[in-house]
Amino acid sequence: MEMSIFFKMLLFLYTLLLLHQLHTKAGNTLCRMMGDPKYPLISKNGDIIIGALFPVHSTETLPSFEFTKKPQPLSCSSVNLRDFRLAQIMIFAIEEINRSESLLPNVSIGYRIYDTCGSRLSTMSAIMGLMNVQEFGVGDKCTAQSPLHAIIGDSESTATVILSRTTGPFKIPVISHSASCECLGNRKDYPSFFRTTASDYHQSRALAYIVKDLGWSWVGAVNSDNDYGNYGMAIFLKIAQEEGICVEYSVKFYRTEKEKLQKVIDTIKKSTAKVIIAFVSFLEMGLLIDQLSIQNITGLQVIGVKSWITSENYITPNSFRVLGGSLGFAMRKINIEEFSDYATKAFWETTIPCLHTEGNSSQYALNCRRYEDLLVLKNYNEDVTEHRYSANVYEAVYAVAYSLHSLLKCKEQEGCEKGLTIQPQQVVEALKKVNFTVKFGDRVWFDSTGATVAQYEVVNWQQNSDGSFQFKPVGYYDASLPPDQRFVLNTENIIWAGGKLQKPRSVCSESCPPGTRKATQKGRPICCYDCIPCADGEISNETDSNNCKQCPGEYWSNAEKNKCVLKAVEFLSFTEFMGIVLVFFSLFGVGLTVLVAFLFYSKKDTPIVKANNSELSFLLLFSLTLCFLCSLTFIGRPTEWSCMLRHTAFGITFVLCISCVLGKTIVVLMAFKATLPGSDVMKWFGPAQQRLSVLTFTLIQVLICVLWLTISPPFPNKNMKYYKEKIILECSLGSTIGFWAVLGYIGLLAILCFILAFLARTLPDNFNEAKFITFSMIIFCAVWITFIPAYVSSPGKFTVAVEIFAILASSISLLFCIFAPKCYIILCKPGQNTKKHVIGKTPAKSY
């Protein structure tokens, strides 16, 4: 273990010695250029040098790599007019500062502008050319400081990342006019980077806001496969998810990847989303437009970004057929005074070196060969006022000038201290503090990430009546304003895709109407859902409701399931069919009983009426009338009084009725016992005793009912357990013991009556009433025995109907079984209504 540590220490010391030796050799090595130097496209010497990288050309041609001879330099073609204008505005700003007597008064600014050709390879080559010094004095060593004080560029985020990482160790400040990748805001990785544009964080948020504001929840997404597109799209996708926006597909490609571009086109053709978010760099967008035109893919609402949305190159009759009506965020359009004239006159007269060459035409051609495609633009100025990044480049140059102005301790009358040595790190620190206003009114300062405030215009691709095209402003996004005022969109001024005036719809699933809820489709985004009707008792009163809400206890959902309404209250009413039928039978029983009473009263002196105590017969008829009438108390809306009345009236009247029957049964038994020799039993059960027995039996039931009503009386109750959709308004028993005590007492008397009547059924008589009492008690008991399970199992108002039916059935059975035979004799067999026939001895028939 100790040996291992020893060897590691030796290895560490050896490494330190080796690095020291290499550093010493490098310090003593004379500088010489390795390979051919990379010369700037346009340059000018000065006391201060500002470098710049612009993709002035957009197409790069690679030489053949045969490895048998030295490769030819990379060649560029296809002028990128936008970035050429940016190079011009940089020179214009520098010349303006050089003429100024208040800003860097006695200091001249030079520049070196390199063409990156829009490729990573050329960008790296241009950076190396920019960092190197082309001229070396005799004996110069490789420890010299770079003459650059700042670098303006690049136009693209990926190229700017390469630039910033390469220049980072040298602390040279890089100021980009359009590299908006969020990644460049990391001060740890890019401490010397600044930009006169905002981070794409704001643009990505604004894209999500515009999609949300226009009600689109189903979009496609295409981005460049570079830092600009990848970072920007990542932020958009994150915010889109937070805002409930679903992305059907997210595809990307790079300008050199034709297969991926074709895959993007195929994906767009197959998709159902009508809106596409195109977070695409300037050069990739040109390729995408070409393919969309070739494939004739139209009718899609494209939402673009500032890199391409206001490019004059792309708004042509052919591209407008595909992208007409596109919306997007653009840099604000600012007109810089005098630049238009400078771009067409002074620039060509003072900047392009071949135009100043004197001598023969061959020499002229040699010097101008690299500028021949740019010279075509010499008299073209129609696009000058349309370029929206010009102000950013202008502000970047002035930011460098103001930082150097403070470092060189410049004073308007005395000038600047030109002898001071300015380190790049000093320029970086000075840039962090700049705060000035340019001539067109913008205030320039950098935040903690090195960026400026996000301010975008929302533009719409429209065609004028004369056939020309325009980028019509229809809104804005300003991050400096309060959150609720940052984004404004005037939809009435927008012409949508395909020249339509109506906003296109782009949803995976149509909105769920009130009364339904959203159910996400398995394996698909949350915007793809089915509309499921709310369950019974639940509602949704909003469009696109995620859940249905349960109605409160006494409420139920309506048919549309969008409103809670009061539940239907159910009880046995007098107006419904079943109530009417039961009332009819109840009154029919009352009427029949009254008729029997009238008949008996009219024949009260006949033997058949006087037999077995006519007083009990009339009392029985009276109690039966009450029994029929008490059934009416069970019909109608239950109230506190009706609930107490119905059960007590039922219990007392039935006990009165059964007591009368029991009394008649005992009279029958006593009457036949009295016929035995030496029996005086009738004196113990005469009329007085009969009345007393009926009264005693009835008072016992009255006592039970009083106790029931005192301890826990019946009360009206809303039963919401049996039916969910309606309320059963019923009389709760209060004390179930009280209820079953009442029924039990009635049953006890009925069984006693049945037993006595059954014993007396064989007594000899032509008219033995015990037989009919026995039969009536059988029916009575059968009705009430079947009543119990029917009562327990019947729901709602049917419970009441079953109880009424039992009352009516048992009452009618008593009326018919006891009084029908007597009525038959009175009405149909008057000859048998004699004392002789009633007490006549005949052989008894078994029953």
Side-chain angles (χ1 to χ4, degrees):
M1 182 70 177
E2 292 179 356
M3 291 294 291
S4 175
I5 295 173
F6 177 72
F7 279 117
K8 287 182 178 178
M9 291 179 64
L10 285 177
L11 181 61
F12 178 69
L13 290 171
Y14 176 76
T15 304
L16 287 177
L17 289 171
L18 180 62
L19 290 173
H20 176 71
Q21 186 178 6
L22 290 173
H23 177 73
T24 304
K25 287 184 177 180
N28 296 326
T29 303
L30 297 179
C31 276
R32 62 187 181 88
M33 184 68 66
M34 301 289 291
D36 296 330
K38 173 78 173 181
Y39 292 102
L41 180 68
I42 307 171
S43 65
K44 179 182 178 180
N45 291 324
D47 300 325
I48 293 170
I49 300 296
I50 299 177
L53 298 179
F54 295 108
V56 177
H57 294 86
S58 59
T59 303
E60 179 185 62
T61 304
L62 295 175
S64 59
F65 296 103
E66 299 176 357
F67 302 102
T68 58
K69 60 182 179 179
K70 184 178 179 179
Q72 294 297 314
L74 302 174
S75 61
C76 300
S77 59
S78 301
V79 175
N80 181 356
L81 183 57
R82 186 189 72 171
D83 282 86
F84 175 62
R85 295 300 185 199
L86 297 182
Q88 286 183 308
I89 194 69
M90 175 184 167
I91 299 170
F92 170 76
I94 291 174
E95 296 296 341
E96 195 174 69
I97 294 168
N98 285 341
R99 293 193 302 269
S100 173
E101 295 181 358
S102 58
L103 185 60
L104 296 174
N106 61 333
V107 176
S108 63
I109 302 177
Y111 50 84
R112 292 179 184 171
I113 300 175
Y114 282 79
D115 184 7
T116 64
C117 295
S119 80
R120 296 169 186 173
L121 187 60
S122 289
T123 297
M124 198 64 215
S125 175
I127 293 170
M128 292 297 100
L130 188 61
M131 297 285 290
N132 284 319
V133 182
Q134 276 73 44
E135 296 86 11
F136 301 100
V138 178
D140 283 351
K141 297 181 179 180
C142 292
T143 56
Q145 177 185 318
S146 172
L148 294 176
H149 290 85
I151 300 174
I152 307 296
D154 190 302
S155 296
E156 294 190 349
S157 294
T158 299
T160 306
V161 168
I162 297 171
L163 171 61
S164 297
R165 287 195 178 277
T166 305
T167 60
F170 303 98
K171 305 292 192 300
I172 300 174
V174 173
I175 308 174
S176 177
H177 52 281
S178 64
S180 52
C181 177
E182 171 69 7
C183 58
L184 289 165
N186 187 336
R187 301 309 276 172
K188 183 179 179 181
D189 293 338
Y190 308 100
S192 305
F193 175 75
F194 298 85
R195 51 186 163 193
T196 51
T197 188
S199 164
D200 277 334
Y201 173 80
H202 298 283
Q203 184 174 214
S204 297
R205 290 189 71 87
L207 285 171
Y209 289 155
I210 196 171
V211 173
K212 183 75 174 179
D213 190 68
L214 292 171
W216 295 322
S217 60
W218 188 238
V219 300
V222 180
N223 67 276
S224 300
D225 191 7
N226 54 23
D227 292 312
Y228 174 73
N230 290 333
Y231 278 92
M233 184 55 71
I235 296 169
F236 168 77
L237 293 177
K238 180 177 180 294
I239 298 171
Q241 185 177 14
E242 293 172 359
E243 295 291 337
I245 301 166
C246 295
V247 179
E248 183 182 10
Y249 60 86
S250 180
V251 289
K252 57 187 177 181
F253 71 99
Y254 188 64
R255 63 197 63 164
T256 59
E257 299 171 334
K258 294 184 178 179
E259 292 181 359
K260 283 191 177 181
L261 175 58
Q262 186 57 48
K263 183 180 178 182
V264 169
I265 297 298
D266 293 340
T267 302
I268 293 172
K269 289 170 68 175
K270 295 175 184 177
S271 73
T272 58
K274 300 300 181 184
V275 176
I276 298 177
I277 308 299
F279 213 112
V280 183
S281 298
F282 178 75
L283 296 177
E284 278 86 353
M285 194 62 201
L287 300 174
L288 182 61
I289 291 173
D290 290 342
Q291 287 300 315
L292 290 173
S293 300
I294 293 170
Q295 301 282 346
N296 195 29
I297 300 174
T298 59
L300 296 176
Q301 183 65 54
V302 180
I303 310 298
V305 289
K306 61 186 180 62
S307 62
W308 65 267
I309 194 67
T310 54
S311 172
E312 290 283 348
N313 297 9
Y314 293 158
I315 190 165
T316 63
N318 192 39
S319 66
F320 193 85
R321 185 174 54 86
V322 175
L323 295 182
S326 292
L327 287 169
F329 293 95
M331 302 302 297
R332 293 175 304 136
K333 189 175 179 180
I334 297 173
N335 184 32
I336 300 175
E337 296 178 5
E338 302 175 1
F339 174 61
S340 181
D341 291 337
Y342 173 82
T344 54
K345 295 179 182 178
F347 170 79
W348 302 101
E349 295 170 359
T350 62
T351 305
I352 301 300
C354 70
L355 297 181
H356 311 299
T357 302
E358 297 178 0
N360 58 40
S361 59
S362 61
Q363 183 65 32
Y364 176 89
L366 181 64
N367 289 336
C368 288
R369 187 174 302 154
R370 63 187 307 205
Y371 300 110
E372 59 185 358
D373 52 356
L374 296 178
L375 290 170
V376 176
L377 305 172
K378 184 172 182 289
N379 297 315
Y380 179 75
N381 67 347
E382 293 179 9
D383 67 305
V384 171
T385 58
E386 296 299 324
H387 293 292
R388 295 174 182 248
Y389 287 97
S390 299
N392 291 7
V393 175
Y394 185 89
E395 291 171 358
V397 174
Y398 267 84
V400 175
Y402 272 101
S403 63
L404 292 170
H405 184 87
S406 63
L407 291 172
L408 294 174
K409 301 177 182 179
C410 298
K411 296 179 182 178
E412 191 167 342
Q413 301 297 329
E414 301 175 10
C416 305
E417 297 181 17
K418 299 173 65 173
L420 293 176
T421 302
I422 305 298
Q423 299 294 333
Q425 182 63 34
Q426 292 178 277
V427 183
V428 171
E429 295 303 321
L431 282 168
K432 293 179 181 178
K433 300 174 184 177
V434 296
N435 193 330
F436 61 93
T437 301
V438 291
K439 64 181 181 180
F440 45 82
D442 276 9
R443 189 169 71 90
V444 181
W445 59 278
F446 298 106
D447 62 19
S448 59
T449 66
T452 54
V453 176
Q455 294 178 318
Y456 305 116
E457 272 187 352
V458 183
V459 297
N460 180 216
W461 282 27
Q462 295 187 10
Q463 187 171 20
N464 299 318
S465 56
D466 60 357
S468 62
F469 304 106
Q470 66 165 327
F471 304 114
K472 184 176 179 63
V474 292
Y476 65 83
Y477 178 89
D478 190 343
S480 65
L481 298 176
D484 59 336
Q485 301 175 17
R486 287 179 182 174
F487 179 63
V488 172
L489 185 66
N490 302 315
T491 54
E492 62 273 10
N493 296 331
I494 298 175
I495 302 296
W496 304 98
K500 296 180 181 178
L501 299 177
Q502 186 176 2
K503 180 182 68 176
R505 286 182 58 78
S506 186
V507 294
C508 182
S509 300
E510 293 296 331
S511 294
C512 289
T516 62
R517 64 175 177 86
K518 295 195 294 186
T520 305
Q521 296 174 359
K522 189 175 181 181
R524 302 198 71 189
I526 60 171
C527 299
C528 300
Y529 48 80
D530 298 315
C531 296
I532 307 298
C534 291
D536 291 337
E538 295 181 346
I539 65 158
S540 67
N541 52 10
E542 299 175 350
T543 302
D544 288 335
S545 178
N546 290 318
N547 296 294
C548 296
K549 295 181 289 187
Q550 186 75 39
C551 288
E554 295 189 11
Y555 290 82
W556 194 250
S557 55
N558 60 357
E560 293 77 22
K561 305 293 178 64
N562 59 6
K563 184 191 296 183
C564 285
V565 294
L566 283 169
K567 288 181 179 179
V569 178
E570 183 182 88
F571 58 89
L572 187 59
S573 69
F574 288 101
T575 55
E576 62 179 293
F577 177 75
M578 186 163 54
I580 293 171
V581 171
L582 292 174
V583 169
F584 170 78
F585 280 107
S586 177
L587 295 178
F588 176 76
V590 171
L592 205 58
T593 306
V594 171
L595 287 175
V596 172
F598 275 117
L599 180 62
F600 268 49
Y601 184 77
S602 64
K603 303 293 183 180
K604 65 180 184 295
D605 296 324
T606 60
I608 202 163
V609 175
K610 294 171 69 176
N612 303 113
N613 195 335
S614 60
E615 186 179 336
L616 284 180
S617 295
F618 282 109
L619 186 58
L620 177 58
L621 287 169
F622 173 71
S623 63
L624 283 173
T625 303
L626 293 179
C627 288
F628 282 117
L629 289 174
C630 83
S631 65
L632 297 177
T633 63
F634 287 82
I635 304 173
R637 188 182 188 91
T639 64
E640 187 175 350
W641 286 103
S642 68
C643 286
M644 291 190 289
L645 177 64
R646 65 173 58 171
H647 288 101
T648 53
F650 156 70
I652 293 170
T653 55
F654 259 80
V655 165
L656 178 62
C657 181
I658 299 301
S659 298
C660 293
V661 175
L662 182 60
K664 291 177 72 66
T665 306
I666 295 173
V667 167
V668 172
L669 282 172
M670 294 299 106
F672 283 101
K673 290 288 183 181
T675 61
L676 297 176
S679 176
D680 58 352
V681 70
M682 281 304 295
K683 72 178 182 179
W684 299 105
F685 201 73
Q689 287 80 9
Q690 292 170 25
R691 287 192 291 272
L692 183 61
S693 65
V694 171
L695 179 63
T696 302
F697 288 137
T698 306
L699 284 176
I700 293 172
Q701 183 73 307
V702 170
L703 180 61
I704 294 172
C705 290
V706 169
L707 289 172
W708 182 13
L709 295 178
T710 303
I711 297 171
S712 181
F715 59 90
N717 178 50
K718 294 178 179 179
N719 188 340
M720 292 180 282
K721 295 180 180 178
Y722 201 92
Y723 292 109
K724 293 181 178 179
E725 72 278 8
K726 57 186 176 181
I727 299 173
I728 304 299
L729 194 58
E730 61 184 8
C731 283
S732 180
L733 297 176
S735 172
T736 53
I737 296 175
F739 175 72
W740 291 110
V742 169
L743 280 185
Y745 183 63
I746 295 172
L748 178 65
L749 292 181
I751 291 171
L752 180 61
C753 185
F754 170 74
I755 293 172
L756 294 177
F758 184 76
L759 293 175
R761 78 190 190 285
T762 57
L763 296 175
D765 196 350
N766 278 345
F767 190 81
N768 187 354
E769 197 172 26
K771 296 177 183 179
F772 304 113
I773 292 174
T774 303
F775 188 64
S776 68
M777 286 298 103
I778 290 174
I779 298 174
F780 183 89
C781 291
V783 167
W784 285 102
I785 289 170
T786 55
F787 159 77
I788 294 172
Y791 178 84
V792 172
S793 61
S794 299
K797 61 184 179 181
F798 297 103
T799 303
V800 180
V802 167
E803 193 166 359
I804 295 173
F805 175 78
I807 292 170
L808 295 177
S810 56
S811 300
I812 289 173
S813 68
L814 289 173
L815 180 66
F816 273 83
C817 291
I818 294 174
F819 293 100
K822 294 181 180 182
C823 292
Y824 176 74
I825 290 173
I826 292 171
L827 296 173
C828 299
K829 300 286 186 176
Q832 297 180 8
N833 189 6
T834 62
K835 186 176 181 180
K836 180 180 178 181
H837 180 78
V838 171
I839 63 172
K841 302 293 183 178
T842 58
K845 298 177 182 177
S846 62
Y847 180 72

